[in-house]
């Protein structure tokens, strides 16, 4: 079993509560718009971290991260990107990635600043967006997701609210 902490859209700000809520996770996944290399370095120093770059991320972060990250954890194939769209309306790059390499069991994106978890019945995959946990953007509450993966099951999903954005 692996415990995962999922966040997105930090925009250069890492709330101190993140480490409290992710203290028991095995890995942290960041779905883009990291903002500064300092945020990524702090996460990596705390826990093993996988991350993709987002539209606000500079060339330094883009050298450290990929646009699409596809990997296997337990028996679950995962695909993470920042601008993914959502079921029935994927972004063009995400749609092309799904067509080219197939649908994973778990698709993760950020960008919208809106927390949503939904089953995509067309692609038979679970779609997750953790919302935003930074202080820039239109979201009102900073959010994270935390969940577990055992064999081919994704379970114990929790939505965590860190408090108001500003």
């Amino acid at each position: 079993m692996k415990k995962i902490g999922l966040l997105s859209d930090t925009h250069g700000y890492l709330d101190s509560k993140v480490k409290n809520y992710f203290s028991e996770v095995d890995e942290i996944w960041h779905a883009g718009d990291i903002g500064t290399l300092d945020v990524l370095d702090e996460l990596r120093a705390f826990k093993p971290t996988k991350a993709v770059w987002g539209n606000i991320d500079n060339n330094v972060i883009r050298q450290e991260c990929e646009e699409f990250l596809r990997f296997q954890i337990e028996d679950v194939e995962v695909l993470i990107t920042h601008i993914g769209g959502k079921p029935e309306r994927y972004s063009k790059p995400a749609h092309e990635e799904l067509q080219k390499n197939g649908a994973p069991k778990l698709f993760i994106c950020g960008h919208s600043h809106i927390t949503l978890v939904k089953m995509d019945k067309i692609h038979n995959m679970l779609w997750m967006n953790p919302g935003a946990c930074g202080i820039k953007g239109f979201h009102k509450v900073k959010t994270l997701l935390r969940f577990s993966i055992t064999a081919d099951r994704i379970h114990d999903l929790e939505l965590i609210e860190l408090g108001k954005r500003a």
Side-chain angles (χ1 to χ4, degrees):
M1 179 172 76
K2 296 285 185 181
K3 293 181 180 179
I4 309 300
L6 177 61
L7 67 154
S8 186
D9 295 275
T10 48
H11 290 261
Y13 170 81
L14 188 62
D15 191 306
S16 61
K17 295 176 197 164
V18 169
K19 290 182 181 178
N20 294 334
Y21 285 107
F22 287 175
S23 65
E24 301 296 319
V25 305
D26 298 301
E27 292 184 8
I28 295 172
W29 300 348
H30 195 304
D33 276 3
I34 299 160
T36 65
L37 194 55
D38 290 342
V39 168
L40 188 57
D41 288 344
E42 187 173 348
L43 289 172
R44 287 175 170 167
F46 176 60
K47 295 281 180 172
T49 300
K50 291 177 170 60
V52 296
W53 55 260
N55 55 295
I56 66 121
D57 291 321
N58 63 21
N59 287 339
V60 174
I61 292 173
R62 289 177 189 223
Q63 289 175 2
E64 292 281 325
C65 304
E66 302 291 327
E67 180 180 12
F68 289 95
L69 185 59
R70 193 180 278 255
F71 58 94
Q72 188 87 13
I73 185 165
E74 296 274 319
D75 296 328
V76 173
E77 184 181 13
V78 179
L79 175 61
I80 305 176
T81 192
H82 182 61
I83 301 177
K86 60 183 180 179
E88 294 94 40
R89 287 192 290 160
Y90 289 103
S91 68
K92 185 177 180 187
H95 178 74
E96 289 171 353
E97 171 66 23
L98 292 171
Q99 295 302 308
K100 179 180 175 186
N101 295 309
K105 184 171 181 90
L106 177 58
F107 182 95
I108 293 170
C109 63
H111 188 62
S112 72
H113 290 225
I114 300 168
T115 306
L116 184 62
V117 176
K118 184 176 182 178
M119 189 66 193
D120 178 338
K121 294 178 183 174
I122 293 170
H123 291 95
N124 194 31
M125 66 183 180
L126 184 60
W127 179 92
M128 289 185 184
N129 185 323
C133 67
I135 56 174
K136 294 180 182 171
F138 66 87
H139 60 286
K140 295 186 185 323
V141 177
K142 298 175 288 184
T143 56
L144 310 168
L145 292 177
R146 188 170 57 190
F147 57 96
S148 297
I149 297 176
T150 304
D152 66 348
R153 290 182 339 125
I154 301 160
H155 57 97
D156 297 332
L157 176 64
E158 299 172 274
L159 167 62
I160 299 163
E161 294 184 350
L162 299 178
K164 292 188 178 183
R165 176 175 49 90

